[in-house]
Amino acid sequence: MISDDLEELYKLLRGSRSANAVLDARALIQENKAVLAFAKLVDARESYMESRSRLLKQVPEEQFKGTSKEDVRNRKVLLRKQEKTHEILKAFEEVMPLVERVAKREEAAAAAEAVSVTVDEIEDEDDEPELVVSPADPSIDDDDAPADDEAVDEPDAPIPSRLATSADITQRFVEAFNDHDDDGQLDLVNDEFGFREVNSDDDIYPSAVYLIRLNEKNFLVRTALTAASDRTIELESVTDERVIKPFSREDFFALGKRHRMVLLTKSLIVEDSSSFDDDDDDENGEQHVLDMAAFGQLLTAAQRSGLVSGADQIGHVRDREFRMEKYDLAYQAIDAIFSRFTADASQRAQQLVREDNDISAGRLKISPKDLQAKRIRDRMQTQEVERARRRFQVVLEGLRVLGSGVS
């Protein structure tokens, strides 16, 4: 059982700062609050990895080179600490996918319940055929209200994400990845994952998933459990049986510096559990249920686009005007942010066109490899911008319908 696995993990962590978070996650699992439990577990793992990063990078034979009894004892102590750290990280890797699966099922059930409540309200009130369920609607009991708000972070918090693991690579994703060409593979990865640039040696994590471009081909690889301390980085393909040659630590880091590699992340907001995905938004032109989750998705998309400097204002609008049913004021505030976003997106597009013209005319010198890397980054960022644009349109249309209904 997951509860027993978490208890064993707590015993391994006892005395560490992360132990209490694991204990909290176990209690939340027992209360059927898997989404919150998974968030606690992610925080615990990230905190533990940060606290042990320096320890794992130490080499006992180099740290204590002497032959005295004290040096021999210190080498053994350091080696035992590293072995325990590896054991704890392995325990995290085993239990986290189990908790995440339960969290996704919980999110999907909450979304289905929210849709059911909305349909019942529409059938009961014929005079309001376009009724939109508001989180402040007093006619809905607390127990029946959508639970999406629990999964939305506070507006001042950073984008809720974690390092991607091999458990996030589903068989369906692998089949789609292998069936696409290079550009299609990049689009597929961008739709499913976030990414973080590899800027320093500290960005080399154990059991993490990286997207690497080698010999004009894309590879999704996983690092070994001991990658944080290994001098040679062993890699394993997570999409096929191809053998990936190991890299020295310096060469592996150099891939990131040349923008040939990124570290994949996974959002903690499970967007695919919503009954209203991006395709529905594009087809229908509006989101029929505008709830707290829609603002959370907009906030995440705006932050990931990199073009909304005041993205936290979206959270403030959600917590003030939207909660108080002041839909006209909420519409004006979001529309003002959207206008600035549109202007910045237009400037970015013009800048990309100028750069392409300069490269074509030879005014801007860039190697073929760097040009390919630039185009990959630009394409992925453009997709984030378009995703944010769609989210803005969904929220604005919902607020417009709500405002017209109130008036």
Side-chain angles (χ1 to χ4, degrees), residues 55-97:
L55 172 69
L56 291 175
K57 292 177 182 178
Q58 295 178 359
V59 180
E61 291 75 9
E62 294 184 357
Q63 194 76 13
F64 304 101
K65 299 180 180 180
T67 57
S68 63
K69 291 184 178 180
E70 183 177 358
D71 285 337
V72 172
R73 183 180 63 83
N74 287 335
R75 280 198 298 270
K76 291 182 179 179
V77 170
L78 180 56
L79 186 60
R80 283 198 300 269
K81 288 182 178 180
Q82 290 180 340
E83 290 175 347
K84 183 178 180 181
T85 300
H86 292 153
E87 180 184 3
I88 292 174
L89 289 176
K90 183 177 180 180
F92 268 114
E93 292 297 326
E94 291 175 349
V95 73
M96 286 183 66

Side-chain angles (χ1 to χ4, degrees), residues 162-212:
R162 60 174 175 80
L163 298 183
T165 67
S166 56
D168 299 313
I169 311 296
T170 64
Q171 183 61 34
R172 182 178 178 183
F173 177 87
V174 170
E175 294 174 356
F177 184 87
N178 291 332
D179 289 341
H180 282 72
D181 58 12
D182 288 353
D183 290 342
Q185 289 174 344
L186 295 176
D187 292 340
L188 187 66
V189 171
N190 187 60
D191 288 341
E192 190 73 17
F193 299 94
F195 66 92
R196 186 190 305 173
E197 292 187 357
V198 179
N199 294 319
S200 68
D201 191 59
D202 293 334
D203 293 322
I204 302 178
Y205 291 95
S207 300
V209 178
Y210 294 80
L211 172 63
I212 299 180

